[in-house]
Each structure stands twice: as structure tokens, then as C-alpha cells.
Amino acid sequence: MPYKGYGQYCPLALAAEGLCERSTLLVISRVIDGCTRFNEINRGVPKISATLLSQRLSRLEHAGLITRLPLENERGSAYGLTDAGRDLDPIIMSFAAWGQKWSRNRETEDLDPAFLAWSMHTRLNVDAMPETRVVMEFAFTGSQKGLSRFWLVAQNGHVGMCLKYPGYDTDLTISGDIRRSVEAWRGFRDLRREIADGRITVEGPEPYRRALPDWLLLSALTGIERRVGDESRDARAASLARTG
């Protein structure tokens, strides 16, 4: 499927033709993150329809950024990166870092628990966790997305994300306002202070409660200082809480 281009030979224009359609950067970033199956990618971009995701994957394949290979002994395909796709990794991380620093403040409709669930399941420090199964239930208030809770199931170095009850007893229940939880995840609030002050509550065995902040690695962008908006003040306060 050909792109509707800018009609310019400029390398920036040619790159933008393939990458600046809605959701395209998010889709390729999920493949860079290691998502290889259609449903895995879809979970990493929760608001995209299956039809649009299929279109974006086809365009990325046509552009030579991803590969698609049929799975052996089962239906579906596995997606991977070409050399050109791998070269986008530092570019996309730089773009995300700019967003952490300069993008607009979040609105209530941006606070998507499904995306927070996906983000958390990719950022658990499994090396610090027991080899036995650990089930964490996250329950949120203040969400407008219809999803108020999800579960992460970690065992033997593998983490699964469940948007429905997984059928196992819960070891830890973490509750809090969705906005405050997202702000802690992004580093604008200090997670340990939020837990200590009871604004984010953790219920379960005491050793697990104490270890939780070490299990959650938080966003990979937490070390980047916010430069605009109310969130910049939150980030400075969180930094002071960590060093005070």
C-alpha cells in the first residue's frame, strides 16, 4: 500500500511519511519492546482497533521496518525488527524523553489503567522476586476508562498481565487513585513516600509489602526532569522526598 507522501526528497519528509501516521510510532515501539504477537502489540496500544493495528503493521512491513513470519503449528504471525527497525530504538527513546520533559500535562482521559498495566508488566524486577508465584492485584479509583483493576502474575522470571481475575489467590493488593499512581510510575511522585503516607495502600504479607518498591522498576524515563506544568513541581517534590 503506497504512502501519501509529502512530495519532497528531504530525508525528514521521507521518514515522516512512514512514521507519522496516527499510532505508527507506538506500534513500532512495542515491537522494539519485544512484543512479537498481534495481541501483545494490541495490549501495548490499548486504544487502537484491531483493524487499524493490522493496517499499521502492514505499512511498517511494507516500509521495511518489521518482518512477519507465520508461526509453526499454530495460527497467526510473529513480528520482528529489521535492521532499519532496530535503528529506530534510540530515536524513539529520545522522542519519549522529550515528551517526559516538555509534552503537555495529562488530562483525565489520558489516564488509561490498561496501559499502566501493560507498562508495569514490562518493568518488574523479577530478579528481586521469589521464584514462587506472586500475584499482585492493582485496584484504582478515579478512572474513566471502565477498567478499575488488573493483576500481574510473576513466576520463574515470567510476568503475565491479566485484565480479569487470573484464578490464583492474591498475594498483594495495591490500591490508589489512578492519577496519583500514574504520577508515581512516571517519577513525579516518590512511590515509597506515597505508600508510607497511605495515599497508595498495599495489603499483604509484610515481607512482600516491604519489597514492593524494589520490585516495581517504574518507567524507564523517571530520571528525566519534567520542565513544564504542575508535574514539574511534583517531580521536584518527589526528588526532595527521595534525598531528604
Side-chain angles (χ1 to χ4, degrees):
M1 184 183 301
Y3 298 117
K4 184 177 181 181
Y6 292 103
Q8 297 180 20
Y9 66 82
C10 167
L12 179 60
L14 294 172
E17 287 177 7
L19 294 172
C20 290
E21 289 182 299
R22 183 177 177 84
S23 299
T24 299
L25 279 178
L26 299 181
V27 172
I28 186 68
S29 73
R30 300 308 174 245
V31 183
I32 290 172
D33 288 336
C35 297
T36 61
R37 303 289 295 273
F38 187 93
N39 286 341
E40 290 176 336
I41 299 167
N42 207 169
R43 282 190 166 191
V45 193
K47 295 184 71 175
I48 194 172
S49 69
T51 299
L52 183 57
L53 176 56
S54 181
Q55 292 174 356
R56 294 297 180 258
L57 288 169
S58 294
R59 284 197 180 273
L60 288 167
E61 185 181 12
H62 182 269
L65 300 176
I66 65 171
T67 60
R68 179 174 56 180
L69 297 174
L71 294 167
E72 294 184 7
N73 304 321
E74 58 181 308
R75 296 179 61 185
S77 301
Y79 296 91
L81 295 167
T82 65
D83 289 343
R86 279 186 284 272
D87 271 359
L88 284 171
D89 188 1
I91 297 170
I92 290 176
M93 281 302 296
S94 294
F95 199 39
W98 181 93
Q100 175 85 344
K101 187 184 295 185
W102 295 109
S103 64
R104 65 171 174 81
N105 281 339
R106 299 171 319 283
E107 301 294 340
T108 301
E109 56 266 26
D110 298 323
L111 304 174
D112 187 349
F115 182 65
L116 181 59
W118 183 88
S119 300
M120 284 185 170
H121 108 280
T122 68
R123 295 283 296 168
L124 276 188
N125 183 10
V126 293
D127 291 336
M129 300 182 72
E131 292 185 0
T132 55
R133 183 174 58 230
V134 177
V135 180
M136 292 175 282
E137 179 180 355
F138 293 81
F140 298 113
T141 58
S143 171
Q144 296 186 352
K145 297 293 184 179
L147 174 72
S148 61
R149 63 185 61 227
F150 63 84
W151 291 259
L152 300 184
V153 182
Q155 186 173 14
N156 295 325
H158 174 76
V159 181
M161 180 188 84
C162 303
L163 302 183
K164 296 181 180 179
Y165 176 61
Y168 305 120
D169 291 339
T170 296
D171 297 299
L172 279 178
T173 301
I174 301 95
S175 306
D177 173 74
I178 183 63
R179 180 178 293 275
R180 188 174 292 274
S181 300
V182 168
E183 289 171 352
W185 177 256
R186 289 187 62 187
F188 303 149
R189 294 181 182 274
D190 181 75
L191 177 61
R192 293 178 186 274
R193 179 61 59 86
E194 295 297 310
I195 293 173
D197 291 347
R199 290 184 288 266
I200 293 176
T201 63
V202 182
E203 299 176 5
E206 194 271 337
Y208 282 9
R209 296 199 314 269
R210 189 173 61 249
L212 178 65
D214 295 321
W215 293 352
L216 292 175
L217 293 174
L218 305 183
S219 166
L221 301 171
T222 54
I224 297 173
E225 181 184 357
R226 181 72 172 164
R227 299 294 295 275
V228 296
D230 294 339
E231 295 160 339
S232 64
R233 291 190 289 273
D234 293 337
R236 286 193 293 272
S239 178
L240 290 172
R242 286 190 289 268
T243 58

